[in-house]
Amino acid sequence: MSMDFIEAMNELERDKGISKDVLFEAIEAALISSYKRNFNTAQNVRVDMNRNTGVIKVYARKLVVEEVLDPRTEISLPAARDINAHFQIDDIAEIEVTPRDFGRIAAQTAKQVVTQRIREAERGLIYSAFIDKEDDIVTGTLQRQDPRNIYIDLGKIEAVLPLTELMPNEKFKHGDRIKAYITKVENTTKGPQIMLSRTHPGLLKRLFELEVPEIFDGVVEIRSVAREAGFRSKIAVYSRNEEVDPVGSCVGPKGMRVQTIVNELRGEKIDIVRYSEQVEEYVANALSPSKVLEVQVFEDEKMARVIVPDYQLSLAIGIKGQNARLAAKLTGWKIDIKSESQAEQEYGRPKTLTGEMHQDSVSVD
């Protein structure tokens, strides 16, 4: 091998992050196979490649014995001591057997090994870079599209965004910048594969973490997210600091923080509710924007019966049950919604004018 090859190895280590020692070891292992294949030999050999000069030598490794039965793998003690006077029985003697035209074979083999290792190393580096970004947001450019997937260029790799993971009525064209959530990173035989989503609840959570400094700093915590992508979402937030309003922090000055997220999600409505350890209060908040009169909790069934003003019943349930369904997902409780009149008729509850429960939530269209 020439000095140019050694310099190329040094450059690969600098630019690609591929260890030069790992490359040398891989080339030496491949050269052993090449030697045996090309010179039709079964003897044990070791290939040594000088790390500084690139000079390659092949050594036959033979066991030192008293009586030689197989000259390909054994050497007598007198013959071994002609090489080195310190050899003893059962030592391994190495004899140089480098073929005259081995350089050409070595060059071809080294090129194949280096090319393969570069490919493997690049795949490994890409996988390492993106496995840490699983459950995080990335931004890329739409590269191409087929009937099932959109392919997003993330710079070093092309990620897959299935059309089923797009929000309803969401359309993109070639060259568009797309922000998406990484749902899975796999190291396959064809290299790393990155799967993306625009409908995953994690996208909403990460967008709030990016836009709200109090969440990023850990002062405000997102306790739960429920989402029907493209239509409506609910997010429950909690403040570790009593002086920090979690709902107000997420809304931001003049609603700018949450509006940025709404715009990114193509107008998806977002209800921001205050999390509470009190189930009654949490369920009432989760039903925002509907007003709630009373919440009755049935622990054994993990069910909450919610009574709302008559005029708020349709709002509490939502279009096709969406508001109630999202509230149930957010809280983890089954929710049975009744109007005040229904509750009076079914349960004999006296109709009162005691006012509505206090609720802490904000709805953003």
Side-chain angles (χ1 to χ4, degrees):
M1 292 291 175
S2 66
M3 288 299 297
D4 289 342
F5 182 79
I6 299 300
E7 181 54 37
M9 298 271 278
N10 292 330
E11 191 172 333
L12 279 174
E13 188 172 49
R14 289 192 301 269
D15 297 346
K16 302 286 187 181
I18 306 171
S19 169
K20 185 171 63 175
D21 290 334
V22 171
L23 280 175
F24 275 122
E25 290 170 6
I27 291 171
E28 287 170 348
L31 288 175
I32 292 173
S33 298
S34 295
Y35 174 82
K36 290 183 177 181
R37 183 174 61 253
N38 285 277
F39 295 95
N40 195 27
T41 178
Q43 63 186 351
N44 294 326
V45 296
R46 179 177 72 85
V47 173
D48 176 73
M49 186 174 184
N50 189 287
R51 269 53 171 170
N52 298 316
T53 64
V55 173
I56 295 173
K57 292 185 178 180
V58 183
Y59 296 93
R61 293 170 56 82
K62 297 188 178 185
L63 180 67
V64 178
V65 295
E66 291 183 356
E67 182 181 357
V68 176
L69 299 178
D70 186 350
R72 296 175 303 176
T73 59
E74 297 173 339
I75 187 173
S76 67
L77 181 60
R81 286 183 170 171
D82 287 340
I83 301 170
N84 188 319
H86 298 290
F87 276 126
Q88 301 292 333
I89 296 296
D90 293 333
D91 284 347
I92 299 295
E94 293 191 338
I95 307 165
E96 185 180 350
V97 291
T98 309
R100 184 174 299 176
D101 61 343
F102 194 59
R104 175 182 55 81
I105 296 171
Q108 293 174 346
T109 303
K111 181 179 179 182
Q112 293 171 355
V113 169
V114 169
T115 301
Q116 180 181 355
R117 285 302 172 116
I118 289 173
R119 191 180 300 115
E120 291 174 357
E122 287 178 339
R123 288 175 175 177
L125 291 171
I126 291 170
Y127 178 77
S128 298
F130 281 96
I131 191 63
D132 293 334
K133 293 182 179 180
E134 200 170 52
D135 301 324
D136 207 346
I137 288 177
V138 290
T139 302
T141 306
L142 195 155
Q143 191 70 23
R144 57 192 178 92
Q145 183 174 343
D146 63 28
R148 296 176 60 188
N149 302 307
I150 287 176
Y151 298 90
I152 310 297
D153 181 10
L154 299 180
K156 294 183 178 180
I157 192 171
E158 199 173 66
V160 180
L161 174 59
L163 295 180
T164 54
E165 293 297 319
L166 288 178
M167 293 185 288
N169 303 319
E170 196 168 38
K171 302 290 184 182
F172 293 103
K173 61 182 183 297
H174 182 269
D176 281 352
R177 297 278 290 172
I178 299 177
K179 191 173 288 184
Y181 181 79
I182 299 179
T183 57
K184 185 173 15 175
V185 178
E186 289 184 311
N187 206 3
T188 69
T189 54
K190 295 182 179 180
Q193 185 177 62
I194 299 171
M195 303 302 295
L196 304 178
S197 173
R198 293 258 312 158
T199 63
H200 197 284
L203 177 64
L204 181 65
K205 183 178 180 181
R206 290 301 186 194
L207 286 172
F208 270 97
E209 289 173 351
L210 290 173
E211 291 297 330
V212 182
E214 290 86 350
I215 295 178
F216 183 82
D217 294 337
V219 178
V220 173
E221 181 181 341
I222 297 173
R223 286 297 181 92
S224 182
V225 176
R227 187 178 181 212
E228 292 191 2
F231 299 103
R232 192 179 206 101
S233 295
K234 291 182 182 286
I235 181 167
V237 292
Y238 170 81
S239 176
R240 298 177 182 274
N241 185 337
E242 293 182 357
E243 297 182 0
V244 177
D245 175 18
V247 175
S249 297
C250 292
V251 173
K254 299 181 180 180
M256 290 178 59
R257 292 175 179 174
V258 69
Q259 194 58 53
T260 299
I261 297 170
V262 170
N263 293 340
E264 174 61 38
L265 298 180
R266 304 295 194 269
E268 183 173 308
K269 296 178 181 179
I270 301 175
D271 299 335
I272 305 169
V273 307
R274 183 189 291 267
Y275 172 82
S276 174
E277 295 288 350
Q278 299 297 318
V279 176
E280 294 89 347
E281 184 179 356
Y282 188 24
V283 170
N285 290 344
L287 281 168
S288 171
S290 169
K291 304 302 180 184
V292 173
L293 294 175
E294 183 181 343
V295 177
Q296 301 169 355
V297 174
F298 301 88
E299 294 278 357
D300 293 343
E301 304 171 49
K302 202 171 184 182
M303 189 268 282
R305 180 183 296 147
V306 179
I307 300 171
V308 300
D310 291 355
Y311 70 94
Q312 290 275 293
L313 181 61
S314 60
L315 183 62
I317 295 172
I319 299 172
K320 297 181 180 179
Q322 184 184 73
N323 194 55
R325 187 166 57 248
L326 283 171
K329 286 182 183 178
L330 189 75
T331 61
W333 283 71
K334 296 177 184 177
I335 298 177
D336 180 25
I337 302 174
K338 301 291 183 181
S339 70
E340 192 173 14
S341 297
Q342 288 174 327
E344 184 181 8
Q345 292 173 3
E346 294 182 27
Y347 313 115
R349 176 183 180 274
K351 193 165 185 176
T352 64
L353 296 174
T354 56
E356 300 162 347
M357 287 184 64
H358 172 72
Q359 292 170 266
D360 195 348
S361 57
V362 172
S363 297
V364 181
D365 294 347

